[in-house]
Amino acid sequence: MERRAEAPPPPPQGLDFTVENVEKALHQLYYDPNIENKNLAQKWLMQAQVSPQAWHFSWLLLHMDKVPEIQYFGASALHIKISRYWNDIPADQYESLKSQLFTHITRFASGSKIVLTRLCVALASLALSMMPDAWPCAVADMVRMFQAEDSNVDGRARCLALLELLTVLPEEFQTSRLPQYRKGQVRSVLAQECGSVFPLLEQLLQQQDSPGFIKQKVLKCFSSWVQLEIPLMDCENLIQAAFTSLQDPELFDTAVEAVVNAISQPDAQRYVNTLLKLIPPVLGLQEQLRQAVQSGDMETSHGICRIAVALGENHSRALLDQVEHWQSFLALVNMIMFCTGIPGHYPVNETTSSLTLTFWYTLQDDILSFEPDKQAVYQQVYRPVYFQLVDVLLHKAQFPSDEEYGFWSSDEKEQFRIYRVDISDTLMYVYEMLGAELLSSLYDKLGRLLTNTEQPSTWQHTEALLYGFQSIAETIDVNYSDVVPGLIGLIPRISISNVQLADTVMFTIGSLSEWLADHPVMINNVLPLVLQALGNPELSISSVSTLKKICRECKYDLPPYAANIVAVSQEVLMKQIHKTSQCMWLMQALGFLLSALQVEEILKNLHSLITPYIQQLEKLADETPNPSNRLAIIHILGLLSNLFTTLDISHHDDDHESTEVKKLPVQQGPNPVVVVLQQVFQLIQKVLSKWLNDAQVVESVCAIFEKSVKTLLDDFAPMVPQLCEMLGQMYSTIPQVSAIELTRQLVHIFAHEPAHFPPIKALFLLVTSVTLTLFQQGPRDHPDIVDSFMQLLAQALKRKPDLFLCSNLDVKAVFQCGVLSLKFPEAPTVKASCGFFTELLPRCGEIAPVGQVVHENGKVLLQAVLEGIGGQASRSLMDHFAEILFALNKHCFSLLSVWIKEAMQQDGFPSARVTPEQKENFSQQILRERVNKRRVKEMVKEFTLLCRGLHGTEYTADY
């Protein structure tokens, strides 16, 4: 294809699918600088590929005088026609199609590789669709065809073409669109046909004069075939040949892939004798592995490790079962241990050790799954191995020297962090095998390290041991461990000279917070360290999260330290040492802390804590809105809402035990949070008045009240009237989602209480009225508001159906909005609308206005539901539509039976793809099922597939 100075004009959408036009479009796709023209060309070419004319132009595009890009398109079009439109091909054309493909593959054997591969894929697809009946010995035929002498084609080129075809055949099978029953049938035929393939592969590998590129292709072909679940014993010779190929650097990577694929197939565990035969050649790779490690050859050590892990991880249970071979399996385990502890720092000097971690999980699971006697024997053998593993992992988790770490890229540091998390998870898992003895062992090592004055240890060694301890304490209940008091005693002795060590000390203290709650006398040993760390920006995450854990778990024992904690926290907040998210955590920590104090103490602390922010907010409220004061306002509002999230003097969040043991005296008077909210209410209104247009500021204001309502529940009651009034004003001015969400929260908690019903009712009616106006103006731009509004309506029906009795609530308009919302393209909005109707329909009998509206407009609802099922809505929503049908059937049966009959009589409704019989059948099924909701969901799923023309296709497999 020549490059021309000027690209041809784009092919119009209605252009004929001819060879000339396809070539023009391809030129445009590859060479036109205009991206829109490229996209147009691509769209047109995709249509061309699936058109009936593709059968004609594909062969013409494959002429040898065309350039590879054009030939490639021709081959791809053939593959698409064969793989996706097989049923369009008349059976009497199979043979000519087959022979044409063979001819072209032979022709391209010495031509372009990408075109050859595409043609092979097309023939593979043809073979899969024809076998076994229309082409009984497809694979044997392929081998025979290419082995036949052909004077025009070089023997090696023919051999490579055959290997390419045999390689893509199993790959095409894996991705083919064959129905499930055909897949099983074709898989077993292919597995039998390996008898025509494997002898050829063995012969090519063993021939002395076979060049490296042929052997490489052979190994790739073998790799492809083993994934068809071929019996492992049939692969034995080729696996051994692949082991031999590992000595050839040129073949190493491909041979590793072949061995790993062969060993890893799920079926392989049935062939225990073959697996046992594989252990010696794997162990035989140890010398090659050691040399690779010594010379820093990461690729080779990585490859050998993959093989050892594949055998150990996939077949540990089968190999453990062979008790008489326990020593050879132990040797394999030790080889994997060597790979886990491979010298160097991950990921800079090695990338191998991470491959082995899952093996240790699997081996442990298998050992612990044996019956007690056998388990005891294996525990005896493997407990020492797992103690060695802990030492190895902690050594691997050590940071490099400060100087070396300084040279690492941020990506390498992140990979190392993730690697340490994986090690932490492994240690936690190993605890199940080793139990309390593991903690004792770690404690003894740490104790010796910190008390040995003659041999000062590196900080890296100390950090790794603490990290191991923390990994276990974070998830395992260490409350009964006898070494924790000693550890808490050791922590202050650690000489902290480094950020990483300081971080781990913090996280370790955090992981012991539940233990500290049971042993409060020890809090003073570690709290000063945490408060000191709060002032260091580099320890921001670890120090703040640890303080939060201590304040949450130990709050009843912290009153003596409260003044100090608040003072230090205030200081770091004022100095703005921490990022926003850590400031929010710190406020949550202080909320937990203050919850355990007496009311007057809480108020005193709140006053000193919040006053500076209130003064700042007053100043900001007077300023003209701009981006920087916007962020400051959002930050301050966020601090308040996070503080109120956890400040709970009624102890709703406490577990049963702690309230039993340390019950505080019942508080008198108003809740401190309410006192503060009432004091700042006017200020918040002032901020709002200037920032009503800003969704994020409005959201931050609503968050303060929403968090407070959720935490305080009934204690929030004094705030209800003024909050309802403010919300109404906000929503009337500019409707926003956060205001509806807060209204829903208020309805949920307070609507059923007579004292609060009037303000809640007024707010509900106002929000409804404003939203209905929004619907009249065009709600399509506000799917989020519609979504929240539907959820509010459902909540009102659930908590206080009486709201729908209000004379000034336009139930009909609300109903119509719901129907409109069912047609939105946004799935969450449709789901919320379905939820509204599912709550509304059961109220037909008890709420007269609802009954009347459903009676008059229910048919419109049914029409919308059927449209959705007919293909207008996403298939993921069908269960929700089914719930509406079920509710209609249960609560409006006589009406539904008339409506559904009338709706289904419309031609082409709800889809042109369903016949009148299918529609009638669906209607009768629905009307008969008034008890089992699950059955209705199944009927709807079945019917929607019919409506979409997907019934019985591959698309339904996961549905």
Side-chain angles (χ1 to χ4, degrees):
M1 197 162 15
E2 295 171 4
R3 287 178 181 273
R4 296 183 203 140
E6 218 173 294
Q13 291 301 299
L15 210 58
D16 291 343
F17 298 124
T18 63
V19 176
E20 296 73 25
N21 288 337
V22 169
E23 288 193 37
K24 277 181 193 169
L26 283 166
H27 186 287
Q28 192 176 320
L29 180 66
Y30 285 113
Y31 300 119
D32 193 323
N34 182 323
I35 195 75
E36 274 191 31
N37 288 348
K38 278 181 186 291
N39 290 340
L40 275 174
Q42 187 173 25
K43 210 170 176 185
W44 185 86
L45 285 164
M46 285 166 79
Q47 291 168 350
Q49 274 186 319
V50 300
S51 69
Q53 294 90 318
W55 285 118
H56 175 67
F57 69 63
S58 296
W59 300 110
L60 298 174
L61 294 175
L62 284 165
H63 278 186
M64 298 311 281
D65 59 348
K66 305 284 185 194
V67 292
E69 292 96 328
I70 287 176
Q71 295 168 334
Y72 180 82
F73 182 80
S76 288
L78 283 173
H79 172 241
I80 285 171
K81 295 299 284 183
I82 292 167
S83 61
R84 294 193 200 165
Y85 300 94
W86 177 251
N87 293 333
D88 297 350
I89 306 171
D92 60 2
Q93 288 183 23
Y94 292 171
E95 285 305 316
S96 70
L97 188 54
K98 187 205 304 181
S99 81
Q100 273 182 293
L101 282 168
F102 267 124
T103 306
H104 278 82
I105 289 171
T106 310
R107 199 175 289 158
F108 275 91
S110 310
S112 164
K113 287 285 167 284
I114 58 164
V115 181
L116 173 67
T117 301
R118 245 24 242 152
L119 286 166
C120 288
V121 171
L123 181 57
S125 186
L126 180 86
L128 294 172
S129 295
M130 288 175 71
M131 64 175 59
D133 301 335
W135 192 357
C137 304
V139 181
D141 284 357
M142 290 172 185
V143 174
R144 197 173 53 254
M145 289 280 291
F146 282 95
Q147 283 183 323
E149 285 300 320
D150 186 330
S151 52
N152 300 327
V153 183
D154 164 52
R156 273 186 187 165
R158 240 185 12 257
C159 178
L160 276 173
L162 172 61
L163 287 171
E164 183 64 25
L165 178 57
L166 293 175
T167 303
V168 300
L169 185 63
E171 290 168 359
E172 180 66 8
F173 170 76
Q174 305 289 5
T175 57
S176 70
R177 300 179 168 209
L178 294 170
Q180 211 51 46
Y181 78 96
R182 285 275 294 134
K183 271 217 152 169
Q185 192 182 30
V186 173
R187 178 183 269 115
S188 60
V189 171
L190 285 173
Q192 287 161 15
E193 294 240 31
C194 78
S196 307
V197 179
F198 284 10
L200 169 70
L201 300 184
E202 286 170 37
Q203 183 192 339
L204 288 169
L205 274 180
Q206 283 154 10
Q207 272 175 7
Q208 293 303 311
D209 60 342
S210 277
F213 63 87
I214 293 269
K215 287 184 174 178
Q216 196 152 28
K217 204 78 195 117
V218 167
L219 288 166
K220 278 186 180 162
C221 184
F222 172 53
S223 243
S224 181
W225 275 79
V226 292
Q227 293 176 57
L228 293 170
E229 294 173 22
I230 287 164
L232 193 65
M233 55 191 185
D234 295 348
C235 307
E236 217 174 293
N237 293 345
L238 279 168
I239 294 174
Q240 295 296 351
F243 270 110
T244 310
S245 304
L246 289 167
Q247 303 308 315
D248 182 340
E250 192 187 346
L251 302 177
F252 182 81
D253 289 347
T254 324
V256 167
E257 216 56 53
V259 173
V260 168
N261 283 345
I263 293 174
S264 304
Q265 51 169 317
D267 200 40
Q269 61 199 25
R270 287 173 36 207
Y271 304 96
V272 179
N273 290 334
T274 307
L275 290 172
L276 288 168
K277 282 186 204 168
L278 291 177
I279 294 180
V282 173
L283 295 175
L285 298 170
Q286 285 180 102
E287 188 48 43
Q288 192 181 353
L289 174 61
R290 283 199 183 85
Q291 285 173 5
V293 169
Q294 274 173 356
S295 63
D297 178 357
M298 282 163 72
E299 281 75 17
T300 301
S301 52
H302 196 81
I304 293 173
C305 171
R306 280 185 64 201
I307 291 172
V309 168
L311 184 57
E313 195 177 306
N314 289 294
H315 307 298
S316 66
R317 176 72 200 219
L319 294 169
L320 280 168
D321 267 330
Q322 309 308 305
V323 183
E324 65 279 17
H325 296 278
W326 70 272
Q327 282 170 305
S328 66
F329 183 61
L330 182 59
L332 177 68
V333 172
N334 284 325
M335 181 179 176
I336 295 172
M337 180 75 80
F338 175 80
C339 296
T340 305
I342 207 158
H345 286 289
Y346 181 95
V348 177
N349 321 107
E350 64 90 6
T351 53
T352 299
S353 56
S354 62
L355 301 177
T356 65
L357 298 180
T358 318
F359 163 74
W360 298 108
Y361 285 74
T362 309
L363 178 61
Q364 179 177 312
D365 283 348
D366 289 336
I367 291 169
L368 296 180
S369 70
F370 285 122
E371 66 277 6
D373 293 350
K374 198 170 181 181
Q375 193 185 124
V377 173
Y378 277 118
Q379 284 261 20
Q380 218 174 339
V381 175
Y382 283 100
R383 271 178 76 83
V385 172
Y386 272 86
F387 272 113
Q388 185 194 346
L389 174 68
V390 171
D391 290 342
V392 167
L393 290 176
L394 290 177
H395 181 71
K396 292 298 293 179
Q398 282 187 27
F399 279 88
S401 69
D402 293 340
E403 188 184 359
E404 195 184 331
Y405 193 62
F407 286 112
W408 284 20
S409 69
S410 57
D411 189 40
E412 286 165 341
K413 287 176 179 175
E414 177 59 12
Q415 283 185 54
F416 182 57
R417 185 193 68 76
I418 294 167
Y419 174 66
R420 277 172 48 102
V421 171
D422 292 340
I423 286 179
S424 171
D425 292 344
T426 312
L427 289 169
M428 181 194 79
Y429 206 75
V430 167
Y431 181 84
E432 191 185 348
M433 177 98 151
L434 303 180
E437 206 181 324
L438 172 55
L439 289 178
S440 304
S441 152
L442 291 174
Y443 173 64
D444 291 344
K445 287 187 176 121
L446 189 64
R448 282 199 299 275
L449 208 62
L450 293 175
T451 52
N452 186 345
T453 47
E454 291 162 30
Q455 268 188 316
S457 62
T458 62
W459 71 262
Q460 285 92 339
H461 202 164
T462 308
E463 191 278 335
L465 283 168
L466 266 183
Y467 184 70
F469 212 101
Q470 172 220 321
S471 302
I472 295 158
E474 223 160 31
T475 40
I476 308 290
D477 182 4
V478 293
N479 280 9
Y480 306 103
S481 167
D482 52 0
V483 301
V484 177
L487 177 68
I488 296 271
L490 280 176
I491 285 175
R493 298 184 60 161
I494 297 170
S495 161
I496 299 178
S497 54
N498 169 284
V499 170
Q500 283 90 5
L501 176 57
D503 257 339
T504 303
V505 168
M506 283 302 115
F507 284 128
T508 305
I509 294 170
S511 70
L512 296 171
S513 55
E514 285 184 42
W515 184 90
L516 287 167
D518 289 340
H519 306 83
V521 70
M522 303 296 274
I523 291 173
N524 203 29
N525 275 37
V526 290
L527 188 58
L529 289 174
V530 179
L531 294 179
Q532 188 186 346
L534 271 186
N536 184 343
E538 291 184 293
L539 303 179
S540 183
I541 291 176
S542 60
S543 62
V544 174
S545 67
T546 295
L547 182 64
K548 183 179 162 185
K549 281 182 179 175
I550 290 174
C551 289
R552 185 180 65 216
E553 301 300 334
C554 313
K555 61 184 171 192
Y556 299 111
D557 303 296
L558 291 179
Y561 314 103
N564 195 11
I565 295 172
V566 172
V568 173
S569 301
Q570 259 186 293
E571 189 184 343
V572 299
L573 284 166
M574 283 297 128
K575 286 183 179 171
Q576 298 184 338
I577 283 172
H578 301 293
K579 289 184 178 166
T580 301
S581 52
Q582 276 72 57
C583 293
M584 302 305 157
W585 292 357
L586 191 48
M587 278 302 206
Q588 288 179 22
L590 293 172
F592 285 125
L593 174 75
L594 297 181
S595 301
L597 303 181
Q598 294 298 319
V599 170
E600 57 274 18
E601 281 296 303
I602 297 175
L603 286 168
K604 198 170 83 181
N605 280 292
L606 276 179
H607 181 71
S608 69
L609 189 60
I610 290 175
T611 301
Y613 292 112
I614 300 306
Q615 289 167 347
Q616 212 179 330
L617 197 58
E618 281 170 342
K619 190 165 158 285
L620 290 164
D622 288 329
E623 292 176 10
T624 311
N626 66 56
S628 68
N629 59 23
R630 171 182 180 271
L631 287 176
I633 287 170
I634 290 169
H635 181 74
I636 293 171
L637 295 172
L639 291 175
L640 293 176
S641 64
N642 277 279
L643 177 63
F644 298 154
T645 302
T646 53
L647 208 173
D648 179 16
I649 59 170
S650 61
H651 317 299
H652 295 119
D653 63 340
D654 289 349
D655 57 46
H656 181 66
E657 246 177 283
S658 60
T659 47
E660 287 275 308
V661 181
K662 300 173 179 173
K663 193 77 177 165
L664 291 179
V666 177
Q667 307 284 2
Q668 297 300 317
N671 187 294
V673 172
V674 173
V675 172
V676 172
L677 282 175
Q678 284 175 327
Q679 286 169 357
V680 298
F681 197 81
Q682 278 186 309
L683 173 58
I684 288 174
Q685 279 185 305
K686 187 176 176 183
V687 170
L688 258 184
S689 64
K690 284 198 176 178
W691 290 91
L692 256 182
N693 281 314
D694 191 300
Q696 226 183 328
V697 174
V698 172
E699 203 174 305
S700 302
V701 168
C702 290
I704 291 181
F705 294 105
E706 194 177 352
K707 299 277 174 63
S708 306
V709 170
K710 279 182 179 170
T711 310
L712 303 182
L713 301 174
D714 295 340
D715 289 355
F716 187 83
M719 293 290 301
V720 170
Q722 59 199 118
L723 181 56
C724 285
E725 192 183 341
M726 185 180 90
L727 271 176
Q729 289 165 356
M730 275 166 59
Y731 196 75
S732 308
T733 316
I734 296 174
Q736 292 193 23
V737 169
S738 45
I740 306 185
E741 291 298 310
L742 184 48
T743 303
R744 182 157 65 97
Q745 200 71 42
L746 291 170
V747 166
H748 176 65
I749 295 170
F750 295 108
H752 61 284
E753 293 186 16
H756 302 302
F757 186 62
I760 299 272
K761 173 182 159 185
L763 175 61
F764 174 75
L765 291 173
L766 182 70
V767 167
T768 303
S769 159
V770 171
T771 313
L772 291 178
T773 309
L774 197 71
F775 264 90
Q776 286 163 3
Q777 293 160 355
R780 276 300 303 114
D781 298 335
H782 308 285
D784 51 346
I785 288 182
V786 174
D787 181 346
S788 289
F789 178 58
M790 290 296 140
Q791 290 185 54
L792 169 64
L793 295 172
Q795 183 71 269
L797 285 160
K798 208 181 286 182
R799 299 293 288 175
K800 192 68 175 169
D802 292 5
L803 285 165
F804 278 70
L805 287 168
C806 303
S807 55
N808 44 354
L809 177 71
D810 190 340
V811 179
K812 182 178 178 181
V814 168
F815 186 92
Q816 287 167 338
C817 291
V819 172
L820 198 60
S821 309
L822 286 175
K823 300 179 184 183
F824 270 46
E826 291 82 6
T829 307
V830 179
K831 184 179 167 184
S833 312
C834 291
F836 159 58
F837 284 115
T838 311
E839 289 295 336
L840 181 89
L841 293 168
R843 313 280 179 204
C844 282
E846 63 190 81
I847 302 175
V850 170
Q852 188 183 342
V853 165
V854 171
H855 190 273
E856 291 167 6
N857 300 273
K859 189 180 171 185
V860 185
L861 169 63
L862 177 66
Q863 183 95 1
V865 169
L866 291 174
E867 277 172 21
I869 295 169
Q872 296 296 314
S874 158
R875 273 165 53 201
S876 65
L877 293 163
M878 291 307 112
D879 278 358
H880 303 288
F881 283 121
E883 297 221 0
I884 298 181
L885 281 179
F886 184 73
L888 277 168
N889 200 25
K890 199 169 179 184
H891 303 284
C892 322
F893 175 73
S894 55
L895 292 167
L896 178 65
S897 50
V898 175
W899 293 336
I900 200 165
K901 190 175 181 182
E902 288 173 6
M904 291 300 198
Q905 278 172 351
Q906 302 169 74
D907 280 345
F909 181 86
S911 159
R913 290 191 177 92
V914 282
T915 64
E917 292 76 29
Q918 288 169 327
K919 293 199 282 187
E920 175 64 19
N921 184 31
F922 173 67
S923 303
Q924 291 309 316
Q925 280 183 322
I926 291 292
L927 291 169
R928 272 199 298 269
E929 191 52 78
R930 300 177 68 184
V931 179
N932 190 333
K933 194 188 292 183
R934 189 179 55 79
R935 279 286 302 122
V936 174
K937 288 180 179 179
E938 285 166 9
M939 292 167 196
V940 167
K941 282 182 179 177
E942 189 85 2
F943 189 62
T944 197
L945 291 171
L946 287 170
C947 290
R948 294 163 201 258
L950 297 175
H951 197 267
T953 68
E954 62 188 285
Y955 295 105
T956 64
D958 303 322
Y959 189 45

